[in-house]
Amino acid sequence: MSADPLHRAGAPQRTPTNPPPNRPATSAIEVRRSTRRRRTVSAYREGDRTVVLIPARMSEAEEQRWVSVMLDKLAAQESKRVLGDAELAERAERLSNQYLDGRARPASVRWVTNQNTRWGSCTPSEGSIRLSHRLQGMPEYVVDYVLLHELAHLLVPGHGPRFWRLLEAYPRTERARGYLEGVVAADRLPHVPDARRE
């Protein structure tokens, strides 16, 4: 998703836009329309904002759809990049500040390879959070949800109503849970033999 070198030609129109529904407002989105761009759509990160390049002739509905598609593509690309433990800790701090008023402060956040039946775990007495390595490569919003889930356990140990109220602030909770449920269900499906080998 690199910038199209021609996007500057033809004085593109720049339109700041709001994030699509059910998407956290973590960065500003700028849509640039160009008369020279005919069919292609591209997007890239520029500091703390996302720039989406589209043809000038697109309708508002098409623009919103393509912004959503391109944000998902960028998130998928970024999630393939494996975060180190230090980056994971920074992400935890950002999520705590954004959704939990900075109240959840883990002493450590790290990836582990010994969690094959859980996505994450938290030991509130130690302030430690561990995420399963199986999350690496999943969409960013899924990793953020699991991290936020474990951060909430630093404030509320169980899974009672108070715990779930904390997670209501994260707009992609249901989508992330559905994604993880799909992964679990897919693992349970019988593996169909490859017809080419028979």
Side-chain angles (χ1 to χ4, degrees):
M1 308 278 187
S2 60
D4 179 349
L6 299 177
H7 82 274
R8 290 177 189 87
Q13 300 170 357
R14 296 179 182 203
T15 310
T17 188
N18 294 323
N22 300 324
R23 190 178 292 280
T26 54
S27 66
I29 300 166
E30 181 181 318
V31 176
R32 295 181 186 169
R33 292 175 173 262
S34 172
T35 54
R36 299 189 98 190
R37 187 175 284 271
R38 297 285 179 223
R39 289 186 300 241
T40 61
V41 176
S42 61
Y44 60 94
R45 304 283 192 210
E46 189 175 81
D48 65 344
R49 68 187 166 155
T50 302
V51 177
V52 181
L53 308 167
I54 64 172
R57 63 172 175 70
M58 270 193 185
S59 69
E60 289 294 318
E62 288 176 308
E63 174 184 315
Q64 286 302 315
R65 184 177 72 81
W66 276 107
V67 165
S68 183
V69 165
M70 298 313 286
L71 287 175
D72 283 344
K73 284 187 176 187
L74 282 173
Q77 278 183 343
E78 290 165 353
S79 71
K80 287 179 185 169
R81 181 178 64 87
V82 176
L83 299 175
D85 290 348
E87 292 169 304
L88 206 55
E90 288 171 14
R91 200 165 182 169
E93 182 179 355
R94 178 180 54 83
L95 289 167
S96 176
N97 289 336
Q98 188 171 0
Y99 297 107
L100 303 172
D101 299 321
R103 293 179 295 143
R105 300 191 180 280
S108 68
V109 182
R110 61 191 173 93
W111 294 107
V112 294
T113 58
N114 62 350
Q115 288 189 6
N116 294 315
T117 59
R118 297 178 179 192
W119 296 114
S121 62
C122 172
T123 307
S125 61
E126 297 173 3
S128 63
I129 292 175
R130 294 159 306 281
L131 296 189
S132 171
H133 72 286
R134 296 178 305 139
L135 288 165
Q136 293 173 337
M138 288 189 188
E140 187 176 284
Y141 73 92
V142 175
V143 176
D144 282 353
Y145 165 73
V146 175
L147 194 48
L148 191 58
H149 183 108
E150 301 309 331
L151 285 165
H153 277 309
L154 291 176
L155 305 175
V156 180
H159 287 104
R162 195 168 144 241
F163 173 83
W164 292 110
R165 276 195 298 277
L166 288 175
L167 289 180
E168 285 175 0
Y170 184 60
R172 300 185 93 179
T173 292
E174 288 306 313
R175 186 172 180 186
R177 291 183 72 193
Y179 184 99
L180 293 170
E181 287 170 6
V183 169
V184 170
D187 283 346
R188 291 184 185 142
L189 291 174
H191 294 285
V192 178
D194 188 350
R196 292 172 290 180
R197 283 200 260 169
E198 293 181 357

